[in-house]
Amino acid sequence: MSLFKWEHQAVDTFAALHDLSGRTAVVTGGSRGIGRAIAQALAEAGADVVIASRKQEACETAAAEIHQATGRRAVAVPCHVGRWDDCDRLIAETLDTFGRLDVFVNNAGMSPPYKSLETITEELYDKTLAVNLKGPFRLAVLAATHMAEHGGGSVINVGTAGSLVASVHELPYACAKAGLNALTVGLAEAYAPKVRVNAILPGPFLTDISRGWAPEDPDDAPFVPLGRMGRPEEVAPLAVHLASDASSFTTGAIIRVDGGVTRKV
């Protein structure tokens, strides 16, 4: 076999393994930032997608843009992931619309600012835990239960590298996301062998959330070994990989995408 033919077959095999045609994926927090990039990439790989976030208009805009760009079905489902009734409705509406659920991306999150640790209110703490851990727990369990009963699937939890090196400035958020790491490992065991559960831990990325602390020049970030901030589209290919058959022997993994910030942890 010539080298050219081998390379051509390798490319075909790689593409086939990452093909998500005929599958349905849900992305929470999918209207902007990392979630928006993941939803776009999943659709480009062939999946129909559900865009979920709190603001219906933002969901509808993202869904329309993704459909126009990829030709895949994309629907908007407003959902406050901190409320279990909304979580239940998101799963039910997905199944009513598409009749299947193959990939679930727990991406929604929030990190409300506070002046100091002693000023953190019970309301702020509870709200942070609800969106970053309580809701994702419910959603992952509902999604994985359905997948286990219908041929399998993939759950992807999007956390943060900050869960490994918790900062005093985002401690409730880091605590919740550390819980998401534990949830990933526990669910990987609970729903094996049919459902794979993995986590992605982004580091310093250019998103709406990072605007308050990101350097003026995102390509000059000396605190990052790679020297710059990350961009949402640099996380999306990993999500496609974890959603696809290319990662068929990967579960319970917690993968850092942080430019090397937590390299020594």
Side-chain angles (χ1 to χ4, degrees):
M1 180 184 300
S2 70
L3 179 60
F4 174 80
K5 187 173 182 180
W6 181 87
E7 289 179 342
H8 182 71
Q9 288 182 348
V11 170
D12 287 346
T13 300
F14 182 85
L17 284 172
H18 288 89
D19 184 10
L20 299 177
S21 298
R23 304 185 196 184
T24 296
V26 178
V27 183
T28 66
S31 65
R32 61 181 184 170
I34 288 174
R36 175 66 176 79
I38 289 174
Q40 177 87 25
L42 292 171
E44 289 175 352
D48 295 324
V49 295
V50 175
I51 309 299
S53 73
R54 284 180 292 175
K55 297 181 179 179
Q56 182 169 350
E57 184 177 352
C59 291
E60 291 174 348
T61 297
E65 291 173 349
I66 289 172
H67 172 69
Q68 184 175 14
T70 67
R72 305 306 309 173
R73 291 182 68 191
V75 301
V77 179
C79 175
H80 188 312
V81 302
R83 301 169 182 164
W84 277 17
D85 286 347
D86 273 23
C87 295
D88 293 3
R89 180 175 52 80
L90 173 58
I91 300 298
E93 288 193 21
T94 297
L95 295 175
D96 287 345
T97 301
F98 292 102
R100 62 185 299 149
L101 174 54
D102 307 280
V103 179
F104 194 92
V105 182
N106 257 326
N107 170 74
M110 66 180 302
S111 182
Y114 50 86
K115 292 182 179 180
S116 60
L117 292 177
E118 65 272 17
T119 65
I120 295 173
T121 64
E122 184 176 10
E123 180 185 8
L124 183 147
Y125 186 89
D126 288 347
K127 180 169 62 175
T128 303
L129 268 288
V131 171
N132 293 293
L133 182 58
K134 185 180 81 169
F137 173 91
R138 179 65 171 173
L139 287 165
V141 167
L142 291 176
T145 297
H146 175 82
M147 292 173 187
E149 295 171 352
H150 296 85
S154 172
V155 174
I156 303 167
N157 294 321
V158 180
T160 175
S163 64
L164 305 177
V165 285
S167 164
V168 66
H169 302 295
E170 52 179 17
L171 196 52
Y173 174 71
C175 290
K177 291 297 192 180
L180 194 65
N181 296 344
L183 178 65
T184 299
V185 175
L187 293 184
E189 178 180 356
Y191 290 98
K194 290 189 175 182
V195 181
R196 296 179 297 104
V197 185
N198 296 287
I200 299 172
L201 306 190
F205 272 76
L206 285 172
T207 64
D208 291 345
I209 295 175
S210 69
R211 286 178 180 173
W213 56 264
E216 186 174 340
D217 181 359
D219 291 323
D220 183 18
F223 63 94
V224 182
L226 289 186
R228 63 176 177 84
M229 298 282 285
R231 292 169 174 77
E233 59 269 22
E234 294 180 292
V235 176
L238 177 57
V240 172
H241 178 72
L242 293 175
S244 73
D245 294 340
S247 61
S248 57
F249 201 60
T250 302
T251 194
I254 298 175
I255 305 171
R256 311 174 196 186
V257 185
D258 63 0
V261 169
T262 60
R263 65 200 180 280
K264 295 181 180 179
V265 178

